[in-house]
Amino acid sequence: MERRCTTLKLTKKAHYASRIKRAAHLLFFKHHKMPGVKGWELKGRLGVNYPRIISLLNSHLEKLDLRVKTVFEEGTPTGKPSGRELDRARFYVTLRGTLEPREARMMGWRIDDMAGLATTISTIIANQGRASREEVEELLREKLPNWRVHTNMDRYRRAGYITEDEKGYLYLGWRTRAEVDEKQLIDSLLIEQETATTDSPISVEDEARADSSLIEQEVD
Amino acid sequence: MTEHKETKKLGRDQLERIIELCHQVEEKGLDPFIVEVDDVIQVIKTYFPEWKNPEELCLDAEALHQIASAIKLQSEFITHRSTSLYTDPFLITAKLTSLPKKKISNLFLKAWHPIVELEQMSSTGLAEAVGYWKNLIPLGERWLQKSGPQLQTGTTTLAELENEDLIAEEEFQQELDTFLEELKQATRDQKNIEYWSFIGADSFRETARRAYLMSFLVTYGYATFEVDHMEEIIYVKPDETRRPNSQHSHAASFPISVGFDDWQKWREGAQR
């Protein structure tokens, strides 16, 4: 009887281990145009108990400073999400912690690009989730050259950070909802003390380093 | 009778004003509470018995519809204000303007948790690719299967263009000089300029002409291209160090498509 129990326990463990592996494969590798997997897809591949498997995978990923992020279609539910909400949600693997400026630069993000993205996102959030492109571009032009403003806006749009409607209004895109802690961004902006009105020369040096790192990446 | 007509006219004007106000609120993102719902409903109520024909009733319905949209916006406005994300847009704008770029990017990094995603070939994908490759008909055979007239393409020289009276040598040289001067002016305050921003013009014909001139500038060594592979953008800059007909050790052909579709796409982007 005891041996049977042990065998059952092992079988259950093996079952979960294989499901966790399958979940990792699904979440890490891009299967569609967009990264991430829908809840109903996970249900199809992992079974109805997929939230439990995702939770187990999440605890494994914690050691690697990663996490499974669930983005609900209609905003984060206040209580425990229903099965329907989970099925319609999209699951991504994201970084649990944050990146150092140096790491971000090595990923091909210049200070200008990040500052421009932060400005765009926070302006949209502050304007109830919708801001006119002209308004945002005008704000960006205060610190970035005109040609870079256009290039960056297109880059953010292509990457999914923002979307634009036919009337020229910008909205937060799927990637912002998956990657950016909107509250943290707004709060830290408000808390931050105004130190200087002009950019320090260090940023110029950093940008030069960022450029050279980009060139190195291109060469690779 | 005249008084009745005047009342109707006044009512119609009032409804049109209500519709316009609600429309402005929605379009320009104005404070939705400038629409005094009780007052405008009262106006609609007052004039409703006057409406008889379908046009007037439609106008009345449209006014009601716009008021409903304004109420929806008011509800969203309150919901947003009650969330922890609510901040005065002016305050945020002021902060963004006053903080240096480096600080903004560092703040962003604190709130940014990028997605981890891998694009990699799987064994199944490889097997499919091998199958596809095996079944792929060689190019020669595929081209043979194509029907319809085939256009002969070729190259043209400056001399041929001159013979065809499409261009005169002296005039062309002068045009090149002017064009080079224009490029120098455009890049006076910056190290380079985006290729399309420079060659793009109001008409496709002019754009093609400028692209043609640019190809000569680059071939002669008066200008050079810089390609940002990350952004897929081509930049061009005048090359002061080079002289015409210089022998470049690393000369390479760099095709750039300047088709009508490309031009239209650029125009749409430039007009935004």
Side-chain angles (χ1 to χ4, degrees), chain A residues 28-30 35 66-67 92-99 101 104 109 111-112 114-115 117-119 122-123 125-128 130 139 142-144 147 151 155 161 167 169 174-175 178-186 188-190 192-199 202 206-207 218, chain B residues 23 25-30 32 73 76-78 80-81 84-120 190-192 194 197 227-233 235 269-270 272:
Chain A
F28 275 108
F29 294 101
K30 205 170 153 184
L66 300 174
R67 67 171 172 184
Y92 305 89
V93 175
T94 69
L95 195 71
R96 188 178 286 267
T98 54
L99 290 169
W109 281 87
I111 288 173
D112 275 358
M114 283 187 287
L117 182 57
T119 303
S122 41
T123 308
I125 295 171
N127 284 284
Q128 288 181 255
R130 186 180 90 154
L139 192 59
E142 286 191 21
K143 295 187 181 187
L144 301 176
W147 64 269
T151 319
R155 184 182 177 187
Y161 284 106
K167 288 176 188 168
Y169 283 104
W174 61 268
R175 196 180 280 273
E179 295 186 351
V180 182
D181 185 339
E182 295 164 32
K183 192 176 180 320
Q184 159 88 40
L185 178 65
I186 294 294
S188 52
L189 260 176
L190 293 174
E192 193 59 46
Q193 293 295 313
E194 293 166 22
T195 47
T197 48
T198 52
D199 290 304
I202 300 164
D206 281 344
E207 281 178 21
E218 279 170 18
Chain B
H23 196 65
V25 166
E26 195 175 357
E27 280 292 298
K28 296 186 176 169
L30 305 173
L73 286 174
E76 283 171 6
F77 190 78
I78 291 172
H80 180 71
R81 282 213 167 193
S84 52
L85 279 175
Y86 174 71
T87 325
D88 189 343
F90 295 106
L91 191 62
I92 287 287
T93 310
K95 279 278 180 185
L96 290 168
T97 316
S98 63
L99 289 172
K101 280 186 287 184
K102 193 181 179 189
K103 194 142 257 181
I104 299 174
S105 67
N106 284 346
L107 291 176
F108 177 67
L109 281 174
K110 283 184 199 165
W112 189 39
H113 309 273
I115 292 173
V116 181
E117 51 185 305
L118 299 172
E119 287 186 53
Q120 196 168 310
Q190 52 198 27
K191 65 172 187 175
N192 55 25
E194 206 184 316
S197 304
V227 187
D228 184 341
H229 295 286
M230 294 280 287
E231 306 282 357
E232 293 178 353
I233 298 171
Y235 297 100
R272 275 186 187 159

Side-chain angles (χ1 to χ4, degrees), chain B residues 129-238:
Chain B
V130 169
Y132 170 77
W133 186 253
K134 276 182 185 167
N135 294 325
L136 192 64
I137 305 163
L139 272 182
E141 286 179 42
R142 265 188 285 161
W143 284 349
L144 281 175
Q145 285 170 6
K146 280 196 175 173
S147 58
Q150 298 228 342
L151 286 173
Q152 286 294 317
T153 54
T155 55
T156 185
T157 62
L158 193 59
E160 281 168 352
L161 288 173
E162 282 167 26
N163 289 342
E164 295 283 331
D165 278 342
L166 284 169
I167 204 153
E169 193 180 5
E170 278 178 29
E171 192 189 319
F172 184 70
Q173 195 55 51
Q174 206 174 352
E175 264 194 276
L176 267 185
D177 290 342
T178 320
F179 196 61
L180 178 60
E181 201 49 48
E182 199 185 321
L183 178 64
K184 284 179 183 170
Q185 288 290 333
T187 53
R188 179 168 283 176
D189 301 327
Q190 52 198 27
K191 65 172 187 175
N192 55 25
I193 184 166
E194 206 184 316
Y195 176 78
W196 268 98
S197 304
F198 188 68
I199 65 134
D202 288 340
S203 68
F204 176 63
R205 189 188 169 89
E206 177 61 11
T207 306
R209 192 187 71 87
R210 291 174 71 83
Y212 181 71
L213 290 172
M214 179 55 78
S215 73
F216 274 90
L217 282 190
V218 175
T219 309
Y220 289 169
Y222 284 118
T224 49
F225 284 143
E226 280 177 358
V227 187
D228 184 341
H229 295 286
M230 294 280 287
E231 306 282 357
E232 293 178 353
I233 298 171
I234 302 158
Y235 297 100
V236 63
K237 65 171 184 182

